[in-house]
Amino acid sequence: MKVAVAFDHRGVKLRERVLAELAALGHESVDLGTDSTEPRIDYPDKAREVGESIRSGDSERAVLVCGSGVGASVAASKIAGIRAAVCHDIYSAHQGVEHDDMNVLCLGSEVIGAELAAELVRAFVSARFDGGERYVRRLEKIEEMEGERTYG
């Protein structure tokens, strides 16, 4: 599987372990950077890059890392067709794919360590969407919501 990976300046501390785990599992990384704490990189920019990578077909899934994982998941989920969530436990990392067809795993480098990050990546990339009727129905509702406009 081709997996886009992106890190903001705070997320970079998990970079080497995430890339190593994907390689060990036989997946191809689409490396969208960054590899340094300077200059500061805004997580919405990285979220856009992973979203575009998935939407264009350059990757099937993505791992996006910022300080908490929260900002990354909020930003990535604004992109139509992207289902991103911050997961800091194994169950959510695989269940998000199995039931919700999650395609972006968001991690917080200030919340978890490198070994847990590797376990979460492993659970995420090994999971497959269940495809059951109730899960498809729910995804259709999400797609409908993506098409709605709100004005404020």
Side-chain angles (χ1 to χ4, degrees):
M1 177 185 319
K2 290 174 78 172
V3 181
V5 292
F7 309 85
D8 74 359
H9 61 281
R10 289 178 60 203
V12 75
K13 68 171 67 172
L14 294 179
R15 176 184 170 76
E16 294 307 317
R17 190 64 184 99
V18 167
L19 290 169
E21 188 62 26
L22 288 169
L25 295 169
H27 298 289
E28 180 182 343
S29 293
V30 178
D31 189 349
L32 301 174
T34 190
D35 61 1
S36 177
T37 58
E38 292 293 332
R40 290 178 179 254
I41 303 294
D42 292 337
Y43 62 82
D45 297 332
K46 292 298 165 186
R48 182 180 301 278
E49 289 176 27
V50 300
E52 289 173 357
S53 181
I54 292 171
R55 288 175 50 101
S56 71
D58 289 340
S59 60
E60 298 167 61
R61 294 191 195 164
V63 177
L64 179 58
V65 188
C66 69
S68 69
V70 175
S73 66
V74 169
S77 292
K78 297 297 182 186
I79 301 167
I82 301 303
R83 293 168 301 281
V86 57
C87 298
H88 291 148
D89 64 273
I90 302 299
Y91 177 78
S92 298
H94 69 78
Q95 187 271 344
V97 175
E98 294 163 355
H99 292 188
D100 305 307
D101 204 17
M102 177 176 71
N103 52 16
V104 179
L105 172 66
C106 298
L107 302 175
S109 66
E110 304 297 329
V111 181
I112 63 169
E115 290 311 307
L116 180 53
E119 291 179 35
L120 295 166
V121 166
R122 190 175 320 119
F124 172 65
V125 298
S126 66
R128 298 290 173 259
F129 179 56
D130 178 276
E133 182 275 327
R134 66 183 174 176
Y135 304 125
V136 171
R137 182 181 70 246
R138 293 168 185 163
L139 286 175
E140 288 170 349
K141 290 180 179 186
I142 292 169
E143 289 173 359
E144 185 178 309
M145 291 168 65
E146 287 177 338
E148 296 173 1
R149 301 259 187 239
T150 58
Y151 301 93

